[in-house]
Amino acid sequence: AGPLELNAKIQSGSISISFQTQTGSSYQVQWKSHLTDATWTSLSSPLSGNNAVQSVTDPAGTGNRFYRVQVQ
């Protein structure tokens, strides 16, 4: 599998982060306020891949956030 492409957009007062998933994989969206922070914080429960685009939301206005998706 190649790199995972994240798409982010603001809608209804939240940031929606979406990405393509694959069956058999688990996806954990994480964030941190500064790239120099030591640890990442999980945004929600892990998602199970289903060969479709899935998304998670984060309330807008929580300050600067950098996102990543950990795939297992």
Side-chain angles (χ1 to χ4, degrees), residues 3 18 26 37 66:
S18 59
S26 176
D37 290 348
F66 297 90

Side-chain angles (χ1 to χ4, degrees), residues 1-67:
L4 187 64
E5 181 180 325
L6 301 182
N7 294 300
K9 64 181 176 179
I10 296 176
Q11 61 185 38
S12 303
S14 295
I15 298 171
S16 176
I17 301 161
S18 59
F19 48 92
Q20 179 68 43
T21 66
Q22 293 182 349
T23 300
S25 294
S26 176
Y27 300 82
Q28 178 66 64
V29 179
Q30 300 175 323
W31 66 272
K32 60 168 72 173
S33 295
H34 304 351
L35 289 177
T36 56
D37 290 348
T39 59
W40 290 87
T41 301
S42 294
L43 181 59
S44 62
S45 299
L47 300 171
S48 295
N50 62 357
N51 287 338
V53 173
Q54 295 197 46
S55 62
V56 297
T57 58
D58 192 21
T62 54
N64 292 333
R65 288 200 171 174
F66 297 90
Y67 297 95

